[in-house]
Amino acid sequence: MWRLWQTTLKKKVENNPNHAPKGDSKGGQFTKGDGGSGSDDDKKDEPKSEPKKDVFDVSSYQSDNGRIAIKVDKVIDSYERHVDIAREIWNDIPTENKQGINKFNIGKPPSVTKNASGTFDPRTNTLGLHINNISVDDKSSSEEIKNMYSSVMIHEVAHSQFHRFSEKSQSDWSTDTMTVEPITDYLKKFRKQVIKTQSEFKFIQTEWGAINDELDKVDKEIRSGKLSDKSDDIMIPSPLQRAITKRDSLDRQSDNKQLQLNIARQNKTLTLRTYGNETHSEYNVMLKGHKPLWKSDPKAFEKLKPIFDKHFGDKKWK
């Protein structure tokens, strides 16, 4: 089950290099009572203001004893409470579910995925939450924002888990997900790609088979010894030479088509694995009771449950 821990969030003002001790400026230009423009005597009647919360302080983020590197990029002021909510969600995720994550970043997305609200890079095991790309109305309640960010972060953490599964587990699960309709509209584009690449693979496979059938037929004629190697016209190749030329041409066609087939096979495998990966993430979002960012299909979700239990029943979130 999804366990939640209550985390006391403390302001680490004393560790903030931008916060000077009372009476001291950041650059040490004046000290308490020196009579300068910044002295306490000049400011004793001014109302005291609370120090601004430092969104760069990551000491209150759960990091698995420093194993996970946390980074919070500069964000505009209106997103400060969003950062607080994101931190609360991150800390609530059990440590054992973060074993596939080495870095957690809040800030702008990578340039190659400008519009992404969340990303996971399996090459560096980096999870990113890009709050400036998540549409949140100014009037949205903290609970609404929390649900949205929870959906994004659970989705990406599930990606980190999927990459830790064996290739066989990934492949078997991905194949079985095609027996059920997509559980969210987000998955439909990935499913279409699977169908497209599977169709392309079958088409090229059929072409390659036809070329090889013809190649076998010509090769048998040549090996039969029935074709004459003589010609009545010096300008016209003999039946045997024509057959050899045809065989060589078909052989080259077969090699080229096989190369196309290998590429098509890789594309088919990749799109299927991607669909399985994305379905695993969307399933976990719904399993935790959160509303996906896209329209969901509860009936398809119920049909997917036994498939998920079959493959990952012992690997559910804690």
Side-chain angles (χ1 to χ4, degrees):
M1 295 296 294
W2 176 257
R3 298 201 303 265
L4 299 180
W5 280 264
Q6 296 297 325
T7 305
T8 302
L9 303 180
K10 297 181 179 179
K11 297 180 181 179
K12 302 292 183 180
V13 176
E14 64 273 18
N15 294 328
N16 181 0
N18 295 322
H19 177 75
K22 183 177 180 181
D24 263 333
S25 75
K26 180 180 178 183
Q29 295 174 352
F30 66 88
T31 56
K32 183 177 179 180
D34 67 357
S37 62
S39 69
D40 280 359
D41 294 336
D42 293 338
K43 297 184 177 182
K44 59 185 178 181
D45 295 330
E46 294 180 9
K48 294 182 179 179
S49 59
E50 288 292 323
K52 186 177 178 181
K53 194 166 190 176
D54 182 9
V55 297
F56 299 93
D57 178 18
V58 297
S59 60
S60 57
Y61 287 74
Q62 195 281 327
S63 64
D64 194 10
N65 294 321
R67 184 187 65 80
I68 303 174
I70 311 291
K71 179 184 176 184
V72 180
D73 292 337
K74 184 177 180 180
V75 293
I76 57 178
D77 292 344
S78 61
Y79 277 107
E80 189 168 337
R81 71 167 176 146
H82 298 188
V83 174
D84 289 340
I85 292 173
R87 175 177 52 205
E88 178 185 346
I89 297 168
W90 169 259
N91 288 343
D92 283 344
I93 298 174
T95 302
E96 51 264 51
N97 290 55
K98 302 172 184 172
Q99 294 307 302
I101 301 170
N102 293 337
K103 298 178 183 179
F104 173 50
N105 299 335
I106 296 180
K108 294 181 179 179
S111 58
V112 292
T113 53
K114 325 184 151 173
N115 299 320
S117 54
T119 52
F120 176 75
D121 185 348
R123 297 167 300 179
T124 59
N125 294 329
T126 300
L127 188 149
L129 177 68
H130 317 303
I131 57 178
N132 51 319
N133 280 343
I134 303 177
S135 299
V136 178
D137 191 292
D138 290 338
K139 297 180 181 179
S140 298
S141 67
S142 293
E143 278 305 310
E144 289 173 321
I145 297 174
K146 186 174 182 179
N147 179 78
M148 190 170 292
Y149 288 7
S150 294
S151 297
V152 173
M153 291 176 70
I154 291 172
H155 181 102
E156 300 305 333
V157 172
H159 278 322
S160 75
Q161 292 181 312
F162 189 83
H163 284 283
R164 289 168 62 85
F165 298 149
S166 68
E167 285 193 15
K168 186 177 186 309
S169 293
Q170 293 180 9
S171 178
D172 291 347
W173 155 261
S174 300
T175 299
D176 285 352
T177 58
M178 289 297 291
T179 64
V180 179
E181 289 299 307
I183 59 176
T184 66
D185 282 359
Y186 169 73
L187 297 172
K188 290 182 178 180
K189 59 183 179 182
F190 296 102
R191 186 184 179 90
K192 286 181 179 179
Q193 279 299 109
V194 175
I195 295 172
K196 178 182 177 182
T197 55
Q198 287 179 339
S199 176
E200 290 173 345
F201 175 79
K202 289 180 180 178
F203 179 76
I204 295 174
Q205 189 177 45
T206 300
E207 287 188 322
W208 185 57
I211 292 172
N212 286 336
D213 288 344
E214 183 66 17
L215 179 60
D216 289 341
K217 180 181 176 181
V218 174
D219 192 54
K220 285 179 181 179
E221 284 185 317
I222 294 172
R223 289 188 288 107
S224 70
K226 296 178 180 180
L227 296 177
S228 173
D229 62 349
K230 296 180 180 180
S231 173
D232 296 332
D233 189 333
I234 193 173
M235 301 298 294
I236 300 176
S238 67
L240 178 60
Q241 187 56 51
R242 288 200 300 271
I244 291 175
T245 300
K246 184 176 182 180
R247 181 189 63 184
D248 291 345
S249 175
L250 288 169
D251 198 36
R252 288 192 295 271
Q253 290 180 49
S254 178
D255 288 343
N256 290 335
K257 194 60 67 175
Q258 185 174 28
L259 180 60
Q260 293 177 30
L261 187 65
N262 289 338
I263 294 173
R265 181 183 289 107
Q266 291 174 359
N267 290 338
K268 178 173 70 78
T269 300
L270 177 61
T271 56
L272 179 61
R273 195 74 55 88
T274 299
Y275 179 67
N277 190 354
E278 296 294 343
T279 299
H280 175 263
S281 287
E282 291 290 89
Y283 181 86
N284 273 283
V285 171
M286 296 179 69
L287 186 65
K288 301 300 172 293
H290 293 287
K291 184 179 179 181
L293 301 186
W294 298 68
K295 183 180 178 181
S296 60
D297 184 343
K299 290 183 178 179
F301 174 76
E302 290 299 323
K303 291 180 180 178
L304 192 61
K305 273 186 176 181
I307 298 175
F308 181 87
D309 290 338
K310 170 187 170 184
H311 293 282
F312 308 124
D314 59 339
K315 298 181 181 69
K316 287 184 178 179
W317 280 40
K318 305 298 181 182

